[in-house]
Amino acid sequence: MIILENVSKSYSAGAPAINDISIHIEKGEFVFIVGDSGAGKSTLMKLMLKELEPTTGKIYINGKFLNKMKRRKVPMLRRDIGMVFQNFRLLNDRNVYDNVAFAQRVVEVPSKVIRRKVPAMLSMVGLAQKYKSYPRELSGGEQQRVALARALINNPPILLADEPTGNLDPKNSWEIMNLLDEINKRGTTVVVVTHNREIVDAMQKRVITIQKGIIVSDERKGGYIYEN
Amino acid sequence: MKIKTLLYNIQQGIVNIKRNKLFSLASVATIAICIFLIGMFYAVVVNFNYMIDTLESRLCVTTFFDADISQERVEELKNDISKRVEVSKIDYTSAEEAWEKYKEIYFGDKAELAEGFKDDNPLADSASFTIYLNDAEMQDTLVKYLEQLEGIRQVNASANTASTLSDFGKLAGYVSVALIAVLLAVGVFLIGNTVMIGITVRKEEIGIMKLMGATDFFIRAPFMVEGLMIGLAGAIIPLLVLYLLYNRIIGYLLSQFRSLETVAVFLSTQEVFKVLTPMALIIGGGIGLFGSIVTMRKHLRV
């Protein structure tokens, strides 16, 4: 599903942000990517979304070869990947319903389908009652659930979560992680970049640890091994 | 593109304009002023050219013949002259016709006073060609040609009017083209700024759209709609104003400058707007689209 082969990325002179990384993630896997800030996690995500080009190495996402991909095909790649961010990135001038519907509008889904799918998705993340609320009226956990609904509404085969619990308290963090686990069980490949040691340790999933641009460990079922 | 998507983009374009009212208004106003001035220049230039054309068509060279010229030679001359490129029309006035005309003008209804000259035409040597020109500028060449022809005694031409008129017309044309170019550049710049503000305001939204896999066109379309609508609004307003003003201005000019009446022939509103309306809409819409596309190329890397 996600294949990186000997991928390096250098921004300018100096040490590369990512150095000769190879990762294979199968369909339906749940993977944590951990490492301290500056380790190269963000670069890795940008490479997968083709926001950046690798200096060397090959990247395949859902069978698509990114290196040779034409610019106008990039939107199709991004439709394969649902994204969730630490700061939610909701549109504050729109209510919950419109935030989720927005994801469908921009990929030109017919209104009829939108009207059917958005309420169903909001029920799944437990926000069916709050569809008229604006993001500022919601708690952090609720906002992240809206963001999750938005990321998943177009049925992407891959979900990329960048520090999804970074702004949440432990209770809300666990709710979001449980949702991600559930989504994974329904068949979506889930990749979570995180600092949250407690969660990584407790969930016992595959953990890839990156340090200074290289992979220092890749455990099938592991915990947060990296120590300062 | 689907109709629904088109409607959505138009709606988003309107939302952009509404969110950004002040700047949109400023852009519409600037373009309206540009196009108003373009319209004014256009109206002045076409009317001026029309007047010059009318004057030029009245502009003519008169030639008189040697006293002993034969009728055959006159015919020959007429043939030769009418073949010249400068000539649009040539009329022959015989001595008898000249006398008839003269009588009409100077004796009027007292025709009996002219009876004394009945068998002795005082204008016996006044047979002439009246030669109308295609273009005022060609007058000199034609006069030179006529003067060296055998059988022609005298050539009368108006001295300087012709070339002065066409020079002034050209100058007015150049000045207005230069001014219009500057104004258009200002219009493109302002629309560009308006769209740039729209892009800045919607930066987060655009970022999310990109991540969700919106196509370039889908992201750009609302801004193109915005530019286009501002441009068209900026064209329609001055068109309406000019339409209402045109006849009044002409009326005013004619009433203020009575002396103009003999030379001033104006085009009708319909004739001016037949060209001006599509021209203004194309220019307005064009600078709107152009301004937004240029700005997006610079500030909206999708």
Side-chain angles (χ1 to χ4, degrees):
Chain A
M1 186 57 77
I2 300 172
I3 301 169
L4 283 82
E5 280 177 3
N6 309 104
V7 173
S8 296
K9 175 70 190 176
S10 314
Y11 288 103
S12 53
I18 278 186
N19 196 356
D20 197 26
I21 276 185
S22 294
I23 298 173
H24 285 240
I25 296 171
E26 299 298 324
K27 187 174 187 300
E29 267 195 282
F30 191 120
V31 181
F32 284 115
I33 296 178
V34 300
D36 60 355
S37 36
K41 294 171 299 186
S42 300
T43 302
L44 201 60
M45 297 200 107
K46 284 183 175 155
L47 285 170
M48 289 188 215
L49 288 164
K50 204 171 161 72
E51 283 187 45
L52 289 176
E53 300 297 324
T55 312
T56 58
K58 294 173 181 168
I59 303 173
Y60 300 85
I61 303 284
N62 197 23
K64 294 174 176 131
F65 183 38
L66 267 58
N67 301 53
K68 287 258 170 81
M69 184 178 273
K70 295 219 169 67
R71 232 180 63 83
R72 63 188 165 79
K73 297 274 183 194
V74 172
M76 298 306 137
L77 162 74
R78 296 195 180 148
R79 289 177 196 191
D80 286 347
I81 306 172
M83 280 291 302
V84 175
F85 307 91
Q86 177 170 5
N87 56 356
F88 323 129
R89 294 187 71 171
L90 298 174
L91 297 171
N92 291 317
D93 61 341
R94 284 159 222 222
N95 63 26
V96 167
Y97 180 94
D98 285 333
N99 261 286
V100 178
F102 181 69
Q104 297 219 283
R105 287 214 181 95
V106 301
V107 297
E108 301 175 53
V109 173
S111 307
K112 214 166 64 186
V113 178
I114 296 178
R115 279 195 291 275
R116 183 163 48 78
K117 279 198 75 178
V118 174
M121 185 51 73
L122 285 174
S123 307
M124 199 201 103
V125 298
L127 282 173
Q129 307 302 317
K130 297 212 168 180
Y131 71 98
K132 273 185 176 170
S133 304
Y134 282 82
R136 62 175 179 278
E137 298 161 355
L138 301 174
S139 72
E142 287 170 329
Q143 289 189 50
Q144 194 61 296
R145 278 191 262 163
V146 178
L148 249 177
R150 183 180 68 184
L152 293 170
I153 188 109
N154 292 324
N155 294 321
I158 299 167
L159 181 73
L160 265 182
D162 187 5
E163 302 276 5
T165 60
N167 283 356
L168 302 179
D169 58 29
K171 180 177 165 286
N172 275 310
S173 295
W174 272 112
E175 279 179 15
I176 291 297
M177 289 320 293
N178 289 336
L179 257 177
L180 289 177
D181 200 22
E182 197 182 316
I183 290 155
N184 175 241
K185 288 198 174 99
R186 292 182 186 191
T188 308
T189 308
V190 176
V191 178
V192 181
V193 172
T194 187
H195 271 112
N196 195 321
R197 182 194 184 102
E198 190 197 337
I199 284 173
V200 174
D201 284 343
M203 284 183 74
Q204 290 294 302
K205 302 281 188 188
R206 179 176 172 192
V207 180
I208 297 171
T209 309
I210 300 178
Q211 202 183 334
K212 288 179 183 154
I214 52 172
I215 293 176
V216 293
S217 85
D218 186 348
E219 302 278 320
R220 276 291 133 195
K221 267 189 174 190
Y224 198 102
I225 61 145
Y226 175 73
E227 299 285 350
N228 265 322
Chain B
M1 189 171 50
K2 293 173 198 152
I3 297 286
K4 266 216 176 97
T5 308
L6 181 72
L7 290 177
Y8 179 77
N9 284 323
I10 290 173
Q11 184 202 335
Q12 290 301 307
I14 294 169
V15 168
N16 280 359
I17 292 173
K18 276 191 191 160
R19 269 192 209 159
N20 207 354
K21 270 188 210 119
L22 209 65
F23 243 87
S24 302
L25 214 67
S27 305
V28 171
T30 315
I31 292 175
I33 292 168
C34 288
I35 290 180
F36 181 77
L37 290 173
I38 289 171
M40 291 276 277
F41 283 129
Y42 174 77
V44 169
V45 169
V46 286
N47 271 303
F48 196 80
N49 283 337
Y50 180 63
M51 275 180 225
I52 289 176
D53 282 350
T54 315
L55 287 179
E56 275 179 1
S57 69
R58 289 181 197 163
L59 203 73
C60 54
V61 175
T62 321
T63 60
F64 296 96
F65 308 104
D66 292 339
D68 53 352
I69 196 163
S70 67
Q71 201 55 37
E72 288 75 40
R73 177 64 187 150
V74 170
E75 281 302 316
E76 221 177 279
L77 283 171
K78 187 175 179 183
N79 259 331
D80 288 349
I81 295 170
S82 62
K83 278 180 195 144
R84 301 280 296 182
V85 284
E86 299 94 338
V87 177
S88 77
K89 203 175 87 174
I90 177 163
D91 285 339
Y92 174 69
T93 311
S94 66
E96 290 72 32
E97 283 164 346
W99 175 233
E100 284 302 320
K101 247 188 216 166
Y102 187 86
K103 274 200 292 189
E104 232 172 80
I105 295 169
Y106 289 95
F107 296 98
D109 41 4
K110 300 189 188 82
E112 67 279 1
L113 290 179
E115 284 299 297
F117 297 108
K118 199 177 172 191
D119 296 318
D120 183 18
N121 184 351
L123 299 181
D125 288 341
S126 294
S128 66
F129 283 149
T130 308
I131 304 163
Y132 295 91
L133 293 165
N134 273 325
D135 189 329
E137 277 182 49
M138 296 172 169
Q139 186 177 264
D140 287 349
T141 345
L142 184 69
V143 168
K144 268 183 204 136
Y145 166 77
L146 292 173
E147 276 169 351
Q148 51 87 38
L149 286 176
E150 206 171 308
I152 297 219
R153 168 165 53 93
Q154 195 189 335
V155 179
N156 286 349
S158 45
N160 281 321
T161 27
S163 55
T164 318
L165 267 183
S166 50
D167 284 351
F168 188 72
K170 264 187 201 159
L171 184 70
Y174 290 144
V175 170
S176 45
V177 164
L179 269 170
I180 286 168
V182 170
L183 288 170
L184 285 181
V186 172
V188 168
F189 174 75
L190 264 152
I191 289 210
N193 260 326
T194 310
V195 168
M196 194 182 76
I197 287 187
I199 291 172
T200 313
V201 167
R202 297 182 58 179
K203 206 167 187 167
E204 176 66 6
E205 190 179 331
I206 292 165
I208 293 168
M209 286 167 88
K210 282 189 218 173
L211 283 174
M212 286 173 176
T215 56
D216 288 5
F217 181 78
F218 191 88
I219 293 173
R220 288 178 163 177
F223 296 106
M224 299 203 315
V225 169
E226 183 185 1
L228 186 67
M229 290 209 292
I230 289 175
L232 288 180
I236 290 166
I237 294 167
L239 276 177
L240 288 175
V241 175
L242 282 169
Y243 190 84
L244 294 174
L245 282 182
Y246 185 76
N247 276 327
R248 286 180 197 203
I249 290 175
I250 287 174
Y252 175 80
L253 283 177
L254 287 177
S255 70
Q256 288 298 303
F257 306 100
R258 294 242 166 238
S259 60
L260 276 179
E261 259 172 295
T262 47
V263 281
V265 273
F266 293 100
L267 288 162
S268 71
T269 319
Q270 279 74 22
E271 269 176 293
V272 173
F273 279 81
K274 195 171 66 189
V275 180
L276 188 58
T277 306
M279 186 170 87
L281 289 175
I282 289 168
I283 292 175
I287 48 180
L289 266 184
F290 183 70
S292 63
I293 287 170
V294 165
T295 311
M296 284 191 293
R297 280 186 169 263
K298 241 172 130 183
H299 299 278
L300 191 62
R301 290 241 148 257
V302 288

